Amino acid sequence: MVIVLSKNISSHDKEQLRSFLSERGFAVREQVFGDDDILGATGKGSVDIRELSLLPGVERVAQTSKPYELASRETKSEDTIVTIGPVKIGGSRISVIAGPCAIESREQIMETAALVRESGAVMLRGGAYKPRTSPYAFQGLGMKGLEYMKEAGDAYGMPIVTEVVSPELAQQMMPLTDMFQIGARNMQNFELLKKVGSLGKPVLLKRGPSATIEEWLLSAEYLLASGTKDVILCERGIRTFETYTRNTLDISAIPVVRKLSHLPVIVDPSHAVGIRAKVSPVALAAIAAGANGLTVEVHPRPEEALSDGPQSLYPEQFEKLMRDIEALAPVVGKELLRTPMPQTAERILVQGGFVHAEEKQATHEHGEAKNTLRIAFSGESGAYADQAIIRAFGEDSERMAVSSFKSVFDAVLEGKARFGMVPIENSLAGSVHENYDLFIRYPDIAIVGEIKLRIVHCLIGAKNASLETIRIVRSHPQGFAQCKEFLDKHPEWTLEPTNDTAGAVASIARENLTDTAAIAGEVAAQLYGLKIIKEGIETNPLNYTRFFIISRREVGNEMEVPSLLHTGAALPPGYESQVPNKASIVFSTPNEPGSLFACLKILSERGINMSKLESRPIPGKPWRYMFYVDISIPEEERIFDLAMEELKTKTEDFRFLGAYRASL
Ligand code: PEP
Ligand code: MN
């Protein structure tokens, strides 16, 4: 049983509550759980829940219909996000852990760390104590192996996860591991769960090969009830009658567990299938089914591996898998997590010699996940731009809601916000011209990043509203445009445009309306406590909005040899090491034959690809147009600069808006 305490409970009331519960036969433990302080009461006590609920300092008694409580979504409705140094697991990101099955030598773990890091893994895995089916098989390097892996993790900026097989070893392993793994064979080793849970570190809990989902969640409950609040569930295949693959990945467990529990769920495709060629397809299926991440076995030379070689990916296969995940992520409304690489590691990678890792000075700061940057967006909390900020900057970022796109540009220009997030284009409804116009009016603002967000619109109303009770629908005009087919079926509804989608939801909650609905995202419905009447009402499910991250150009910050590509504008954390591959420009052309053609020829002759060309009337100049152009950046900066120099001579009002890494 879980008792959620009031925020202002006095220590006296807390003591009274503890005695009340102990007298009735419960063991009591105080814990922080999400945003709440709770008392967890376990054991065979009995109590009148109504009496307990009325005691001073009790906010509510969370009683679930399930045998597990701390792990249940009924106790905590929002997703748990586990932080391990710079890595977060849970929410709308996909976090990939990779490494060998077992640590075999210092060289092997260093080499693997370098390879998986370069492909985008954010955590390093490797077993030092291996629970092998045969007592004659390689059992692992023990503590020495862990020391090697910690060194590799530090050198490449990756927290490490390793399996703990006995309660006695757990304490000893503490300083050398960032997350404990409980292996499938030990899922119901309750003494181990209690000991590891009490240490408070994040735990990756594998599902037992013949454990039901309920048994798995009860094992998670053991960990949570023993003290840790950070448990990640890992589906790794179960025993079925099928013997072709090593196990059978229970793919349906992913959506089931995500519904039953707030804990993140990741998938281990390697142990699930046991066959190298089948690992990547199954990994992609897991992402499509809603997994929050993966743990994948990779070996530089799998044929030489001391354990699980046949299921370990070659580095090239892992790299391809990471690229596929990056492309798939936005389809399921997620983004592949990237974390900053320590500068020393970049040097090591460039040199191509991971053995030079001695020069490591581990410049990454574990635990420095708090992000105090302020980022402005137009709308209210829960708006799509707000979600784009979370995607780019994380949940801890300070989001500043303002009331118009112009206010976003002003906030960034005046330094009230370091960055801004503005929508520029939607795949169904087209460009957001207002923002293009603002770029022209604010020459000191540059584009420094791009984010593409899949937009799923919902019709949102009061708890007792239905399609029949609705008479008015509120949303941003873009929301109406993207849901045109759905709205056309209801000509009786009056459409009321608002400044932003989340603001429409907020207004319904504020005014307590039952005849009015809003078109907005699921997050806004949750945030303002309203009901989703219908989900997925956008005309086409391939509905994406492209956002630009903007910041202020700083004079004096440009490179010594000025290239247009370096605008001097501050880059968001994690973007510093990205090489820009896309740029946006705006220009108008003289009103004479062939003038646009001459511009395009400059690009074409230098092999510069154009991904967008749009014309827009110039205000105050009837029948004259500005062209918005998105182009690729060739590997050689010089070629790009020359093209832009030449373009300037053929155009009027040329404006370079910024260079950034294209979001897939
Ligand atoms: C492992 O991750 O190396 C491992 C032994 O996995 P499991 O416990 O899922 O078999
Ligand atoms: Mn293995």
Side-chain angles (χ1 to χ4, degrees):
M1 183 172 48
V2 173
I3 298 109
V4 180
L5 305 178
S6 319
K7 293 271 177 267
N8 51 6
I9 185 170
S10 67
S11 40
H12 172 261
D13 286 347
K14 204 186 283 180
E15 242 356 274
Q16 291 286 96
L17 199 52
R18 275 178 172 277
S19 336
F20 177 89
L21 290 162
S22 335
E23 280 160 20
R24 282 158 184 77
F26 291 100
V28 186
R29 169 195 286 279
E30 188 176 347
Q31 270 174 258
V32 178
F33 195 62
D35 292 336
D36 297 317
D37 277 339
I38 60 161
L39 288 186
T42 50
K44 283 216 183 84
S46 78
V47 70
D48 179 342
I49 299 295
R50 280 168 312 175
E51 191 187 350
L52 176 60
S53 313
L54 292 174
L55 291 181
V58 174
E59 175 78 28
R60 69 191 157 89
V61 180
Q63 264 200 307
T64 65
S65 54
K66 307 287 184 315
Y68 42 86
E69 282 165 352
L70 294 170
S72 169
R73 233 193 236 280
E74 290 175 36
T75 310
K76 178 172 182 275
S77 61
E78 70 280 13
D79 286 355
T80 283
I81 291 163
V82 173
T83 302
I84 313 130
V87 174
K88 284 181 188 257
I89 303 186
S92 66
R93 58 184 73 66
I94 293 167
S95 316
V96 179
I97 305 169
C101 177
I103 307 155
E104 298 168 1
S105 66
R106 179 173 176 274
E107 289 67 33
Q108 172 248 19
I109 192 70
M110 280 289 180
E111 184 175 0
T112 317
L115 292 165
V116 299
R117 183 61 164 139
E118 210 169 7
S119 298
V122 291
M123 270 186 88
L124 183 63
R125 61 145 290 150
Y129 295 92
K130 294 304 300 173
R132 303 303 297 277
T133 308
S134 159
Y136 307 116
F138 174 62
Q139 304 284 309
L141 294 185
M143 290 307 287
K144 196 77 212 150
L146 263 193
E147 281 169 23
Y148 295 150
M149 182 156 74
K150 183 84 188 136
E151 188 188 348
D154 281 349
Y156 293 102
M158 285 188 283
I160 57 177
V161 53
T162 194
E163 177 165 356
V164 53
V165 290
S166 76
E168 299 72 47
L169 279 170
Q171 191 74 47
Q172 207 183 333
M173 290 166 72
M174 272 288 274
L176 290 176
T177 185
D178 299 304
M179 174 157 76
F180 284 117
Q181 175 171 318
I182 301 283
R185 290 155 197 82
N186 271 320
M187 189 203 84
Q188 285 187 315
N189 181 340
F190 300 117
E191 290 312 310
L192 178 65
L193 296 177
K194 281 194 251 176
K195 175 68 194 178
V196 173
S198 74
L199 296 175
K201 279 226 163 158
V203 184
L204 181 67
L205 177 65
K206 295 258 189 128
R207 180 179 180 184
S210 48
T212 63
I213 288 175
E214 188 163 296
E215 286 164 344
W216 185 21
L217 290 173
L218 277 164
S219 290
E221 188 78 10
Y222 260 97
L223 291 165
L224 294 167
S226 309
T228 183
K229 56 184 187 5
D230 293 323
V231 175
I232 298 164
L233 299 162
C234 179
E235 161 62 42
R236 44 77 77 201
I238 50 173
R239 280 262 164 104
T240 66
F241 58 82
E242 180 55 70
T243 54
Y244 189 94
T245 49
R246 181 172 177 178
N247 290 292
T248 300
L249 181 72
D250 181 6
I251 200 124
S252 53
I254 304 163
V256 169
V257 166
R258 286 187 48 70
K259 172 99 180 153
L260 294 176
S261 177
H262 50 86
L263 298 172
V265 187
I266 71 163
V267 164
D268 172 348
S270 312
H271 292 87
V273 297
I275 308 167
R276 185 179 307 122
K278 311 288 181 256
V279 169
S280 295
V282 161
L284 292 172
I287 299 299
N292 297 108
L294 300 171
T295 173
V296 186
E297 286 185 344
V298 182
H299 196 286
R301 287 164 297 280
E303 56 287 349
E304 292 172 16
L306 297 181
S307 97
D308 284 347
Q311 70 192 31
S312 300
L313 293 186
Y314 283 99
E316 311 79 74
Q317 289 178 308
F318 179 65
E319 194 203 348
K320 159 94 169 56
L321 172 63
M322 291 300 281
R323 273 190 280 119
D324 288 346
I325 295 172
E326 196 161 12
L328 176 61
V331 178
V332 288
K334 294 206 176 84
E335 177 119 342
L336 181 63
L337 176 71
R338 302 260 178 207
T339 53
M341 173 105 78
Q343 276 173 357
T344 44
E346 276 178 63
R347 264 213 316 276
I348 300 167
L349 287 172
V350 170
Q351 288 167 0
F354 9 86
V355 275
H356 300 304
E358 281 80 26
E359 58 171 301
K360 72 166 173 80
Q361 287 145 22
T363 53
H364 73 292
E365 284 120 324
H366 274 220
E368 200 225 38
K370 276 248 167 302
N371 182 348
T372 49
L373 296 172
R374 191 180 299 142
I375 306 112
F377 70 100
S378 168
E380 299 202 22
S381 295
Y384 292 109
D386 192 18
Q387 289 169 49
I389 296 177
I390 293 177
R391 184 79 67 77
F393 296 85
E395 282 85 358
D396 296 332
S397 54
E398 193 186 326
R399 279 110 65 197
M400 176 183 177
V402 297
S403 59
S404 67
F405 295 139
K406 182 175 176 303
S407 307
V408 176
F409 279 74
D410 281 333
V412 175
L413 190 69
E414 290 160 17
K416 290 185 187 138
R418 189 77 188 274
F419 298 100
M421 183 69 81
V422 290
I424 201 72
E425 185 178 10
N426 174 267
S427 58
L428 294 182
S431 289
V432 182
H433 293 291
E434 186 183 341
N435 281 326
Y436 269 113
D437 292 346
L438 284 164
F439 276 113
I440 304 204
R441 284 170 55 197
Y442 287 74
D444 288 337
I445 298 290
I447 303 167
V448 291
E450 181 189 64
I451 289 279
K452 280 193 196 123
L453 199 69
R454 178 172 170 203
I455 305 289
V456 177
H457 283 303
C458 303
L459 188 71
I460 296 164
K463 290 269 185 277
N464 53 355
S466 67
L467 283 179
E468 289 69 41
T469 65
I470 299 303
R471 292 212 314 277
I472 299 165
V473 179
R474 292 180 183 167
S475 191
H476 187 274
Q478 279 270 344
F480 293 143
Q482 293 162 34
C483 301
K484 187 168 179 323
E485 275 184 18
F486 173 75
L487 291 171
D488 283 351
K489 288 189 206 133
H490 296 278
E492 71 282 10
W493 291 347
T494 307
L495 304 185
E496 281 184 8
T498 54
N499 256 345
D500 76 299
T501 54
V505 180
S507 74
I508 293 169
R510 212 169 29 236
E511 296 163 38
N512 221 350
L513 305 169
T514 50
D515 66 344
T516 309
I519 293 177
E522 184 191 356
V523 175
Q526 281 167 1
L527 213 57
Y528 299 101
L530 295 191
K531 180 178 82 172
I532 295 177
I533 303 171
K534 196 162 169 46
E535 192 185 352
I537 56 170
E538 63 280 8
T539 299
N540 188 311
L542 294 182
N543 186 27
Y544 296 92
T545 294
R546 243 178 108 198
F547 290 86
F548 278 150
I549 303 171
I550 58 171
S551 85
R552 188 172 66 184
R553 295 175 203 252
E554 302 296 344
V555 182
N557 228 358
E558 297 91 351
M559 302 285 283
E560 251 174 53
V561 183
S563 158
L564 255 185
L565 290 173
H566 306 284
T567 53
L571 295 176
Y575 283 58
E576 296 93 339
S577 56
Q578 292 186 354
V579 181
N581 58 0
K582 195 171 169 189
S584 293
I585 53 178
V586 179
F587 56 77
S588 59
T589 53
N591 189 13
E592 56 196 43
S595 60
L596 178 61
F597 173 75
C599 296
L600 302 188
K601 191 160 158 273
I602 294 168
L603 300 176
S604 144
E605 276 171 353
R606 290 180 170 79
I608 295 177
N609 184 40
M610 196 170 61
S611 53
K612 171 171 179 164
L613 170 65
E614 187 176 358
S615 64
R616 165 148 173 79
I618 304 175
K621 291 189 184 169
W623 324 125
R624 296 290 308 280
Y625 300 88
M626 294 295 288
F627 295 100
Y628 304 150
V629 185
D630 287 347
I631 46 183
S632 66
I633 298 176
E635 265 182 31
E636 246 191 86
E637 270 181 18
R638 187 85 201 113
I639 296 184
F640 184 80
D641 282 338
L642 285 174
M644 294 304 110
E645 281 312 315
E646 203 179 333
L647 211 48
K648 276 186 207 167
T649 64
K650 301 271 185 227
T651 56
E652 293 168 357
D653 303 321
F654 176 92
R655 186 69 55 77
F656 182 75
L657 301 185
Y660 47 92
R661 187 90 193 154
S663 154
L664 283 168

